[in-house]
Amino acid sequence: MPELPEVQTIINTLKTSGLLHKQITNVSVYKTKLLKNSTLIKFKKFLIGESINNITRIGKYLIFHITHNKTLVVHLRMEGKLFYEPASSSISHIHLRIKFDLKNHHKLYYYDSRIFGTFHIYEGQEYLNASHLTKLALDPLDAGFNWKYLKKHLHDAHRAIKTALLDQTNVSGIGNIYADEILFLSKINPTKKANLLKDQDFKNIAKYSREVLLKSIKYGGTTIATYKSAANHIGKFQKKLLVHTKKGEPCPVCGTKIVKCKVNGRGTYYCPNCQK
């Protein structure tokens, strides 16, 4: 699924490709279950005639800032993808769920094979009070994120540190791939209980959370399975992974074979020698 670096890459791609300030002339919704707080008629009326002024994010939610102080909030969930393409482009209609026609003869396509994505619309600043956004914790790229913030949210957790990191009410934006990489660099076993961590552990996690996510954004995200940020874009961070998906390969630090286990049902990769 798209994680924070992939979501940021999608935003960067959409903004640099020319989507901003293009008027929406029509909206076609093929799966209305994606619309979480509006009807089809209301959704179309809300967007047609408007333009997207900017795109930001809160955690892994994409925030489309629309003209006339309107907001469209999108979560891609497991398999959601957004592609901005010329209307003349040859595109697949398999798993196409929403299509936005634009005045500049381009289209914004939303694909979702599992139809788990969500689309919410809000007037003004209403979205800032939406429950699915207010419950999110800070993410590692937020200015207020640091080791003290981490310790405050995790030091009483009697769960595996990896499970605690994946809880979006503790830390927003860290997914399975990145948790493995962060904990490897921090030299922390993913099964270790969060309440047993020391201050230096929290400092390491905070440091490497930011470094790993920024590095992934630099390389366009991680393309594993079906993630793409644009129709012909493949992320390159998977070539930089140190432990995730590396079962049986030598640890890049000590040479011990990387092992795989399950932590709260999630496939987890780590070095049994480096990560105590």
Side-chain angles (χ1 to χ4, degrees), residues 18 54 60 102 108 115 135 169 192 197 204 219 236 274:
N54 196 16
K60 292 186 282 188
L102 304 167
L108 178 63
I115 323 176
K135 69 181 181 181
T169 63
K192 189 172 184 176
L197 298 184
N204 289 339
Y219 285 97
K236 297 179 180 179
C274 292

Side-chain angles (χ1 to χ4, degrees), residues 89-100:
S89 296
S90 176
I91 59 102
S92 171
H93 288 83
I94 299 174
H95 307 313
L96 175 60
R97 308 307 185 191
I98 299 180
K99 178 180 68 175
F100 301 86

Side-chain angles (χ1 to χ4, degrees), residues 8-188:
Q8 187 60 54
T9 299
I10 289 166
I11 291 171
N12 295 344
T13 301
L14 292 176
K15 291 172 71 172
T16 58
S17 64
L19 173 63
L20 299 187
H21 311 299
K22 305 302 186 296
Q23 187 180 50
I24 300 169
T25 58
N26 193 36
V27 180
S28 302
V29 180
Y30 306 112
K31 287 293 182 181
T32 56
K33 68 174 289 186
L34 294 165
L35 311 182
K36 298 304 180 182
N37 69 340
S38 67
T39 63
L40 174 58
I41 293 174
K42 182 180 178 182
F43 188 76
K44 294 180 69 169
K45 184 177 180 181
F46 185 86
L47 293 172
I48 292 175
E50 307 291 359
S51 302
I52 299 169
N53 285 336
N54 196 16
I55 313 171
T56 59
R57 66 169 179 80
I58 298 177
K60 292 186 282 188
Y61 285 86
L62 291 90
I63 314 297
F64 291 83
H65 302 274
I66 312 294
T67 45
H68 294 103
N69 204 23
K70 297 178 178 181
T71 308
L72 170 65
V73 178
V74 178
H75 199 298
L76 303 174
R77 298 297 177 187
M78 296 295 291
E79 294 288 343
K81 303 175 186 68
L82 284 164
F83 298 150
Y84 173 72
E85 297 290 329
S88 59
S89 296
S90 176
I91 59 102
S92 171
H93 288 83
I94 299 174
H95 307 313
L96 175 60
R97 308 307 185 191
I98 299 180
K99 178 180 68 175
F100 301 86
D101 295 300
L102 304 167
K103 195 172 183 178
N104 68 332
H105 304 296
H106 279 60
K107 298 180 188 293
L108 178 63
Y109 300 101
Y110 176 73
Y111 290 86
D112 192 343
S113 61
R114 303 181 71 174
I115 323 176
F116 287 165
T118 62
F119 284 69
H120 291 81
I121 56 175
Y122 298 99
E123 298 280 359
Q125 301 298 302
E126 290 177 352
Y127 75 99
L128 294 174
N129 297 316
S131 60
H132 55 284
L133 295 178
T134 56
K135 69 181 181 181
L136 290 176
L138 293 180
D139 71 56
L141 303 187
D142 282 314
F145 182 89
N146 54 39
W147 75 272
K148 292 181 179 179
Y149 174 88
L150 264 179
K151 182 178 179 179
K152 177 183 176 181
H153 285 77
L154 300 181
H155 79 283
D156 286 333
H158 293 267
R159 298 182 291 171
I161 179 57
K162 179 173 180 180
T163 301
L165 284 178
L166 294 178
D167 184 341
Q168 302 296 293
T169 63
N170 289 328
V171 185
S172 179
I174 294 179
N176 195 49
I177 296 170
Y178 300 105
D180 284 353
E181 297 296 298
I182 291 163
L183 291 173
F184 172 72
L185 291 167
S186 302
K187 300 185 184 301
I188 299 170

